[in-house]
Amino acid sequence: MKFRDYYQILGVERSAGADEIKKQYRKLARKYHPDVSKEPDADARMKEVNEAYAVLSDPERRAAYDQLGREYQSGQDFRPPPDWDAGFEFSGHGIPPENAADFSDFFAELFSHIGGARGPRATGGMGGTGGYEARGQDHHARVVIDLDDAWTGSTRQISLRVPQVGAGGRITLATRTLNVRIPQGVREGQLIRLAGQGAPGMAGGKAGDLYLEVHFAPHRRFRVEGRDLHLMLPVAPWEAALGATIAIALPAGQQVKVRIPEGAQSGRAMRVRGKGIPGDPPGDLFLTVEVVLPDASNAKARQFYETMQRELAFNPRAAW
């Protein structure tokens, strides 16, 4: 998809305050509203303007978009980096499914996952000031942890960026730091609930909760699916041909020994039950054998290859 410059669509500078953005939106709405506009592309332009305003008028969306948009130009090929919004605290207002068609794929890719109900939820009691007691709004944030944290469980200090409206309607980012207990066996996408860490309640109502959506930082060797681990296992030609027992280092300093059967070929799949991320039940470890050849530029290795070429009656394409 292409990157959308919402500031360019509205015709405002990146430093524009909330009042200026609202004023420009109203001006463009009068120009392109389908009921009054004579422009041939009024419907499409109005849809673009509405989408730009939906982002730039919302402090949370705008702050996240500004962080991402620094690296891109309008019309540039775009794919958001993994977990680009990790560490942003949102009050939770994604796209309702019934409204998804009103927005572009670009908008949906960035903001559709932000969940939660907007606004405080009533608890049914009367506050001490005579107002209706209301529970505070739940907040949401994505956090990225290391695979080792899921393996052993840990307490981590996590800093969240909280968008706020500053002087002149400009967006600032405050930071708050929390000590968070990461449970052993946590899964990708699992929510960790921090009670009372959301928005304050109204008229004596309880504070909302903060939900942290867990994601794993990329690991140089393992790919994670649920609690299962996937690994490409490099083996030497003689290990594959003759069989071997190989020690595999797992996260958090753990280790498992795996028996490679004689005659293993590249692409062979193996499964070690219970050696994925701990849990109830634990995940499994899935291995894919990858036979790696010594470099023939080494004189001794080349000599061995030439000997095999002369003396082995081997044709890998005999079955073709």
Side-chain angles (χ1 to χ4, degrees):
M1 70 182 72
K2 303 296 183 182
F3 183 80
R4 290 194 165 202
D5 188 333
Y6 290 131
Y7 291 97
Q8 186 179 86
I9 290 171
L10 281 189
V12 296
E13 298 294 329
R14 288 185 172 271
S15 59
D19 290 343
E20 183 181 352
I21 288 172
K22 181 184 292 186
K23 179 180 178 180
Q24 183 65 6
Y25 167 73
R26 289 174 174 172
K27 176 182 176 182
L28 294 175
R30 288 192 297 270
K31 180 177 181 180
Y32 293 116
H33 196 286
D35 291 344
V36 298
S37 179
K38 304 299 183 182
E39 302 287 338
D41 57 349
D43 283 343
R45 291 299 303 275
M46 192 68 242
K47 186 175 180 179
E48 284 186 336
V49 168
N50 282 335
E51 180 172 308
Y53 186 67
V55 173
L56 301 187
S57 64
D58 184 292
E60 297 172 356
R61 289 177 182 160
R62 184 180 178 184
Y65 173 78
D66 284 349
Q67 292 287 311
L68 177 68
R70 292 173 180 173
E71 306 297 326
Y72 296 93
Q73 300 295 323
S74 180
Q76 182 179 349
D77 288 338
F78 171 78
R79 179 65 59 189
D83 298 313
W84 67 273
D85 58 345
F88 274 96
E89 183 175 332
F90 292 98
S91 59
H93 42 282
I95 311 173
E98 64 272 17
N99 295 340
D102 297 334
F103 298 95
S104 68
D105 291 343
F106 175 82
F107 181 97
E109 185 75 16
L110 296 184
F111 301 112
S112 63
H113 67 274
I114 301 170
R118 186 161 194 158
R121 294 179 292 183
T123 60
M126 296 297 293
T129 60
Y132 195 70
E133 184 177 300
R135 182 183 182 277
Q137 187 175 13
D138 291 338
H139 285 192
H140 304 259
R142 291 189 180 201
V143 294
V144 177
I145 66 172
D146 293 330
L147 189 54
D148 286 19
D149 292 332
W151 206 272
T152 60
S154 67
T155 297
R156 282 198 53 193
Q157 191 174 79
I158 292 177
S159 294
L160 299 178
R161 292 167 289 178
V162 185
Q164 297 179 341
V165 180
R170 289 171 176 77
I171 305 302
T172 61
L173 284 175
T175 301
R176 72 163 171 161
T177 302
L178 301 166
N179 289 320
V180 179
R181 175 64 187 169
I182 307 297
Q184 184 186 44
V186 68
R187 298 181 303 276
E188 179 91 8
Q190 183 173 328
L191 297 179
I192 297 175
R193 173 176 170 264
L194 302 182
Q197 293 294 330
M202 297 173 59
K206 292 183 178 180
D209 299 332
L210 171 62
Y211 289 89
L212 302 179
E213 182 179 320
V214 172
H215 291 259
F216 293 123
H219 195 280
R220 67 183 185 89
R221 291 191 297 127
F222 294 106
R223 178 171 57 85
V224 181
E225 289 185 4
R227 287 199 178 105
D228 295 333
L229 299 182
H230 295 256
L231 174 68
M232 295 295 295
L233 179 62
V235 300
W238 47 90
E239 292 174 324
L242 304 176
T245 298
I246 297 176
I248 299 174
L250 299 174
Q254 302 295 310
Q255 187 182 87
V256 63
K257 291 185 177 180
V258 176
R259 177 66 186 172
I260 306 299
E262 292 184 13
Q265 301 286 342
S266 282
R268 175 162 184 155
M270 302 173 62
R271 180 180 185 178
V272 186
R273 295 186 181 275
K275 292 301 181 179
I277 297 175
D280 186 18
D284 297 331
L285 172 63
F286 291 88
L287 305 171
T288 302
V289 172
E290 181 183 23
V291 179
V292 180
L293 301 177
D295 189 349
S297 63
N298 177 282
K300 192 168 186 177
R302 187 174 189 85
Q303 184 180 358
F304 277 117
Y305 286 135
E306 290 172 346
T307 300
M308 285 191 293
Q309 184 181 42
R310 288 192 307 269
E311 299 184 10
L312 293 182
F314 176 66
N315 180 2
R317 295 169 295 281
W320 280 19

